[in-house]
Amino acid sequence: MVFPGMPVTLPVDVGPDERVLLVPRRDNNYASVGVVADVSERLRVSGRGLAVSLMGVHRATLGGASTDQDGVLRVDYEARPDATPATSLTRELEREYRAVVDEILELRGDDGRIRAFVRSITDAGALADTAGYSPDLNFDQKLQLLETFDVVERLKLAVEFQRERLAEQQVRKRIRDDVEDGAQKQQREYFLRRQMDAIRKELGEHDGSIADEYRQKISSAGMPEPVRQHAEREVDRFERMGDSNAESAMIRTYIDWLLAVPWAKRSEERLDPAHAREVLDADHEGLDDVKRRITEYLAVRKLRTERGMKDNRRSGVILTLIGPPGTGKTSIGESIARATGRQFVRMSLGGVRDEAEIRGHRRTYIGALPGRLVRALRDAGTMNPVIMLDEVDKIGADWRGDPSAALLEVLDPAQNHAFRDHYLDVELDLSQVLFVATANVADTIPAALFDRMEVIRFDGYTTDEKMAIARGHLWPRQVERNGLRDEEVAITDAGLRLVVTEYTREAGVRQLERELGRVLRKTATKIASAGQTTPVAIDRAAIVDALGRPKFFKEAAVRTAVPGVATGLAVTGVGGDVLFVEAASMPGKGLVLTGQLGDVMKESARIALTYVKSHATELGIDEGALEGREVHVHVPAGAIPKDGPSAGITMVTAIASLLTRRPVRSTIGMTGEVTLQGHVLPIGGLKQKVLAAHAAGLTEVIVPERNGPDLDDVPSDVRDHMRFHLVGSVDQVLALALEDKELALAA
Ligand SMILES: Nc1ncnc2c1ncn2[C@@H]1O[C@H](COP(=O)(O)OP(=O)(O)OP(=O)(O)O)[C@@H](O)[C@H]1O
Ligand SMILES: [Mg+2]
C-alpha cells in the first residue's frame, strides 16, 4: 500500500502517462481510495521488461472507470490532498506519535536513520502516513489510515495503532528477556555442573562411579540378603535422582550409615576362662566375686560353643554391675572386653529420656540419625563387642518417650537378633553383643529391665583393699601421668594409709586417685623446677604439705560427746556412710522432724518416740522429762533427702540418750529397723554399712540378729578389726550404746 510521499518502484508499463492512480486491492476488490503518484523514472529491469519509479502525491477518491482503445483502464478521480489543520489540534498528537515511534524504534534497535527520517517530517498528515511504512501494521489498518482524509483523525488513528505496536513490542521484549534470563541461568548451572563433574572426576568419584562404588562396597560388606537388597534399591534410587537433588544427599547419608554397620565383622572371641581370669586379675585388685562370676560366664559359653549348642538364645541375663562411684564398674567392663578379645564401647545412658536416642529417628525427620546402638556398633567396628550400658539407673529420670522399652528389646535374647533401628529400618542382629550394664543404685532401674539383669554388687573397698589398689594401679598410673619415673618417687605404707583414711571418704577409689595425683604433681613440680634430688620419699610431712590438713577425722567422738546424738549407718547412692541422728527437746508438744526425711523414715521416728515414751520408767527417764516438751529429731546433712527404716534403732537411741542424759558411746555405730514392741528387724546393705563404719573409725557395730549371716560378706581384714553385736530387741541396743553415767545437758 502506497501513501502520499512514499516512493515505490513497480514492474509495470505505464505507457507515456505521467501520473497514475495507485489503488489498494484485496482479492479482486479495489478500495475506494487511492493515491495519485507521479512517474519519476522509467526503468528497464533486466529480464523483466519495464518498470517505473513512482512517488505518491496525494489521496484521491475513485470515480467511474472505462477501458480505452489500447486496453488501459482509465479512472475518474477526485483529488483529496490533505487540508492542513490548525497546529493547536495536532501538536499534542504529533508529539505523542513521535514519542511512541521513538520508543518502538528504540526497542527494535534502530540505528537512528529511521528516527531521523521521522523527525524530518513536519507535516501532520505526512507524519501520520509514515505509519504506512510500519511492517507491523496489517493491511486493514493501513487501509483504514489511507481512507481517513481528516488529518487529525488520521493522526489519532496512527497514534492508536502505533501504541498497540509498542505494547506488543514491550511484551515481546519482556518475554525475550525472561527467556534469555532463564537461558542464562541454565547456562550458568550447566557450566557449574560441568566444573563439578570435572572436580569429581579429578577426585575419582564421578556420578556413575559414586553409585558403582556404593554397589561395590555393599557387595563386599557382607550384609544379610534382605539388607543387601534394600541397600541396592537405595543406590538405584540415588542414581535415578542424580546428585543435584537435596534428597539424594539424604540417601547418601543413609547408605553411608548402612555401610557403617560392621555387618560381617567379628572379633575372634577368646573363650578361655583361665586367660580371662589372668587379665581380670592384672587389671583389678580384689573384686573376687565379680571376677569369678565373669569367668563362670565365659566357661559356660565355652562349653556350649564346643558342644555345638546354639548360643543365640542364651539364658537371657545381662551382667549388671551395681555399686557406688569409683569402684571399678566401668573399668572392669573394659577388662571383660580385653579378656575375651572383643571390642569395647561405652554407651552412657545417664540423662537419656527419649526412645529415639536409643532407636534413632525415622528417616522422614529432618536431620534424622540412627540411635546410639547403631552408633556403638559403628564405633566398635564389630558385631560382637562388649557394649557397656553405663548408668542404667539414670535413664528416664524425666522421660518423654520410654527408652527402657527400647532397651528391653535390645537386652532380650529372644528379640535382639532382629533389632530394628528407626532410622536404618532393617533388621540388626545384636545377639552376638555382650551387654554389660552398670548402675549406682538398684532402686531406680526400671523394674522390667531389672528383672532381666544378673546383678553383681560392688560394695566398695576396705582400707586394705584401697591401699592394694593404690599401690598396684593408681600410684603407678599417676606417677606416669605426672611425667615421673617409678624409681624417682616412693610412698610408704603409712603414707598411703594416711591418704586413704584421712583425706578420702568414699566407697570407691576415685578421690584417692585424685589425691595421689595432687601429691605427685607437687613432687613433679619440685623435681622439674628446684632441682630436687631423687628419689623422693613421700612421707607424712610431704602429704600434709601437698594436701593440707586431713579432711576427715574421727568425727563420731566429737559428735556423740553430748547426749542426744547417735551414730547410724546408711547406704546412699555413693556407698555406705555414717550419719548422726540428733535429738533435742524444748517446751512445746509433739515431734518435729527435719533433714528431708522420707515417709518411712518419719514413721521410724514416730515409732521411736512412742517406744521411748512407753518405756520411760524402765529407761529411768524422769516422769517430768516429757511433760510439755517437744522432741525434735534431725538427720544431717539437711540438704540430702533420705529414707528407709534402717535408722530406727538409731532414733530410739538418740531420743533415749537425750531424755536419760546418757551420751552414746563414741565408738559404736548401729543399723536396724524397730517395731513398736521394740523388736529389731533386719536391714539391707550391711557390707557397705560396715565398710563405712570402719572407714569412719568406729570399732563396734550393732547389727540386727537376722543380718548375722551377711557378716560373712564383710572382708576379713575389716571383720578382724571390729566387734559386732547381734541384737534382737531395742533394750539390748540401749544397753550396749548408752554410757552408764549421766551428763548434765549443756543448754
Ligand atoms: N579393683 C580395682 N583395681 C584397680 N583399679 C580400680 C579398681 N577399682 C577401681 N579402680 C580404678 O578406679 C577408677 C574408677 O573406676 P570406674 O570409673 O570404673 O568406676 P565406676 O564404678 O564405673 O564409677 P561410676 O559409678 O562413677 O561410673 C578407674 O580408674 C579404675 O581403674
Ligand atoms: Mg562408670
Side-chain angles (χ1 to χ4, degrees):
M1 202 172 307
V2 181
F3 282 83
M6 196 185 273
V8 63
T9 302
L10 296 171
V12 289
D13 180 7
V14 293
D17 294 331
E18 291 299 318
R19 293 200 128 175
V20 292
L21 184 65
L22 298 172
V23 185
R25 181 178 73 176
R26 183 149 59 186
D27 303 325
N28 267 328
N29 298 321
Y30 289 96
S32 57
V33 180
V35 168
V36 174
D38 280 338
V39 176
S40 54
E41 210 178 342
R42 283 159 219 274
L43 312 154
R44 184 165 291 280
V45 185
S46 58
R48 288 263 208 95
L50 293 169
V52 284
S53 286
L54 304 165
M55 172 60 90
V57 183
H58 57 72
R59 285 173 171 75
T61 41
L62 271 63
S66 57
T67 311
D68 66 10
Q69 55 269 58
D70 299 328
V72 178
L73 188 65
R74 300 278 166 192
V75 183
D76 292 334
Y77 72 87
E78 187 189 345
R80 299 296 293 265
D82 287 348
T84 311
T87 44
S88 62
L89 289 176
T90 57
R91 199 186 296 124
E92 271 310 303
L93 286 168
E94 275 183 62
R95 190 174 299 148
E96 170 131 30
Y97 182 81
R98 287 179 203 282
V100 172
V101 170
D102 262 8
E103 262 188 77
I104 292 171
L105 291 174
E106 173 118 8
L107 283 175
R108 290 208 350 213
D110 172 49
D111 60 5
R113 276 189 291 174
I114 302 180
R115 219 176 301 179
F117 165 71
V118 173
R119 217 172 294 136
S120 69
I121 293 171
T122 50
D123 181 67
L127 187 66
D129 283 343
T130 56
Y133 287 104
S134 177
D136 298 319
L137 295 196
N138 60 30
F139 183 88
D140 283 338
Q141 286 173 321
K142 287 185 183 172
L143 188 60
Q144 226 178 317
L145 283 174
L146 191 66
E147 286 172 343
T148 309
F149 299 114
D150 184 275
V151 171
V152 177
E153 286 306 309
R154 190 186 320 142
L155 202 51
K156 278 185 187 161
L157 208 59
V159 168
E160 185 190 315
F161 289 157
Q162 295 288 39
R163 268 217 203 103
E164 276 173 31
R165 270 183 71 203
L166 177 62
E168 238 171 69
Q169 292 273 353
Q170 283 170 333
V171 170
R172 230 181 267 167
K173 172 158 163 42
R174 232 189 352 262
I175 292 172
R176 200 173 47 228
D177 285 354
D178 283 358
V179 169
E180 222 161 66
D181 248 25
Q184 266 171 8
K185 215 181 267 166
Q186 273 182 7
Q187 203 158 34
R188 206 176 101 85
E189 258 185 45
Y190 172 76
F191 282 122
L192 287 175
R193 216 173 283 289
R194 285 282 298 271
Q195 282 177 352
M196 189 158 75
D197 280 351
I199 292 169
R200 281 256 180 74
K201 221 177 244 157
E202 204 58 43
L203 292 172
E205 49 175 61
H206 195 245
D207 233 22
S209 83
I210 293 177
D212 288 345
E213 209 176 295
Y214 274 138
R215 288 207 181 85
Q216 201 214 319
K217 280 185 187 159
I218 288 168
S219 73
S220 59
M223 297 172 170
E225 189 51 23
V227 179
R228 194 191 60 74
Q229 284 174 5
H230 179 76
E232 291 280 357
R233 276 198 298 276
E234 291 294 324
V235 175
D236 291 346
R237 214 152 73 84
F238 165 70
E239 203 171 30
R240 272 202 307 279
M241 203 160 278
D243 62 347
S244 56
N245 202 304
E247 202 179 334
S248 70
M250 279 158 63
I251 299 180
R252 283 188 66 168
T253 313
Y254 176 76
I255 301 174
D256 287 339
W257 272 110
L258 271 184
L259 287 168
V261 176
W263 298 100
K265 301 212 183 67
R266 296 185 80 246
S267 301
E268 194 52 56
E269 194 183 9
R270 181 154 184 187
L271 287 172
D272 177 356
H275 164 78
R277 180 72 203 220
E278 272 167 34
V279 173
L280 293 175
D281 278 337
D283 289 354
H284 290 89
E285 214 65 48
L287 298 175
D288 213 48
D289 184 37
V290 180
K291 292 174 184 168
R292 202 188 63 242
R293 297 276 282 281
I294 293 165
T295 335
E296 284 167 3
Y297 170 84
L298 293 176
V300 171
R301 260 181 86 89
K302 179 181 156 90
L303 281 189
R304 292 185 67 104
T305 318
E306 278 172 6
R307 300 182 177 181
M309 298 167 167
K310 272 189 77 94
D311 71 348
N312 261 357
R313 313 282 185 272
R314 55 195 159 86
S315 53
V317 285
I318 49 154
L319 291 178
T320 303
L321 316 176
I322 300 185
T327 45
K329 299 180 299 298
T330 304
S331 77
I332 207 145
E334 288 176 48
S335 282
I336 295 175
R338 213 159 76 79
T340 54
R342 294 170 182 245
Q343 295 295 318
F344 177 82
V345 212
R346 200 177 78 96
M347 189 170 133
S348 178
L349 296 173
V352 170
R353 289 158 311 216
D354 201 342
E355 190 186 354
E357 285 234 25
I358 310 236
R359 249 184 206 286
H361 282 289
R362 293 192 192 285
R363 255 219 279 174
T364 44
Y365 279 81
I366 304 267
L369 275 183
R372 295 207 189 190
L373 270 161
V374 171
R375 280 182 269 164
L377 286 179
R378 175 200 60 185
D379 293 346
T382 59
M383 289 303 270
N384 65 338
V386 172
I387 294 186
M388 169 152 281
L389 306 170
D390 228 358
E391 308 186 336
V392 268
D393 54 336
K394 310 269 189 334
I395 48 167
D398 61 345
W399 18 307
R400 278 166 237 161
D402 188 357
S404 64
L407 271 187
L408 268 184
E409 188 186 327
V410 168
L411 298 176
D412 184 350
Q415 297 183 54
N416 73 5
H417 60 280
F419 174 76
R420 218 172 245 276
D421 180 273
H422 282 328
Y423 178 81
L424 288 189
D425 204 24
V426 293
E427 285 189 354
L428 216 56
D429 184 359
L430 297 178
S431 62
Q432 303 293 307
V433 177
L434 177 56
F435 288 103
V436 179
T438 80
N440 286 138
V441 290
D443 352 325
T444 53
I445 301 177
L449 265 181
F450 192 64
D451 205 36
R452 287 170 172 72
M453 293 176 163
E454 180 168 333
V455 173
I456 300 179
R457 292 200 184 266
F458 285 57
D459 285 319
Y461 298 111
T462 66
T463 304
D464 287 355
E465 283 171 333
K466 286 181 187 172
M467 284 178 59
I469 294 170
R471 186 63 75 211
H473 300 271
L474 310 181
W475 180 261
R477 185 158 64 208
Q478 288 300 326
V479 166
E480 201 238 80
R481 252 181 223 168
N482 286 289
L484 298 171
R485 278 191 280 272
D486 269 347
E487 64 278 7
E488 287 177 326
V489 275
I491 187 165
T492 58
D493 275 352
L496 258 191
R497 186 174 294 276
L498 180 72
V499 179
V500 170
T501 56
E502 294 189 33
Y503 289 90
T504 68
R505 177 156 305 164
E506 57 175 351
V509 293
R510 207 170 265 144
Q511 199 188 342
L512 174 59
E513 180 162 8
R514 255 198 309 271
E515 299 297 339
L516 292 178
R518 280 175 65 188
V519 170
L520 285 166
R521 256 200 318 279
K522 193 104 185 183
T523 314
T525 317
K526 278 188 191 150
I527 292 178
S529 53
Q532 162 103 27
T533 49
T534 57
V536 180
I538 308 286
D539 54 8
R540 185 176 187 98
I543 290 168
V544 174
D545 178 40
L547 301 182
R549 272 190 303 140
K551 291 177 196 152
F552 300 103
F553 52 96
K554 299 201 165 122
E555 209 183 354
V558 182
R559 297 289 289 268
T560 56
V562 292
V565 181
T567 311
L569 303 174
V571 176
T572 67
V574 295
D577 202 0
V578 294
L579 53 84
F580 299 97
V581 174
E582 304 171 339
S585 82
M586 65 219 80
K589 69 187 211 321
L591 177 66
V592 177
L593 298 169
T594 51
Q596 294 217 45
L597 312 187
D599 287 344
V600 179
M601 211 169 200
K602 283 182 185 157
E603 281 169 12
S604 295
R606 287 219 167 78
I607 294 168
L609 183 60
T610 308
Y611 177 86
V612 174
K613 276 182 175 171
S614 58
H615 293 79
T617 356
E618 296 142 67
L619 292 170
I621 297 170
D622 296 346
E623 291 282 326
L626 278 159
E627 211 58 55
R629 310 248 348 144
E630 172 188 80
V631 175
H632 182 163
V633 174
H634 176 67
V635 186
I640 301 165
K642 17 196 143 26
D643 203 2
S646 72
I649 62 170
T650 321
M651 290 178 167
V652 176
T653 309
I655 296 170
S657 160
L658 173 76
L659 298 176
T660 59
R661 300 182 185 179
R662 289 161 64 190
V664 178
R665 290 174 51 218
S666 63
T667 52
I668 207 160
M670 62 192 79
T671 176
E673 182 174 349
V674 70
T675 72
L676 277 177
Q677 270 73 43
H679 297 300
V680 177
L681 302 185
I683 41 73
L686 187 69
K687 179 180 167 188
Q688 297 195 40
K689 289 174 177 173
V690 171
L691 291 180
H694 179 68
L698 302 175
T699 52
E700 291 175 70
V701 180
I702 297 174
V703 177
E705 230 161 36
R706 277 155 66 190
N707 280 116
D710 297 342
L711 287 174
D712 293 347
D713 294 344
V714 178
S716 57
D717 58 300
V718 169
R719 227 165 28 197
D720 296 347
H721 287 99
M722 301 192 91
R723 276 181 66 194
F724 297 97
H725 306 283
L726 297 174
V727 299
S729 64
V730 173
D731 41 338
Q732 287 175 286
V733 176
L734 295 178
L736 286 162
L738 298 183
E739 301 269 15
D740 292 337
K741 65 175 193 322
E742 276 180 35
L743 262 188
L745 265 177

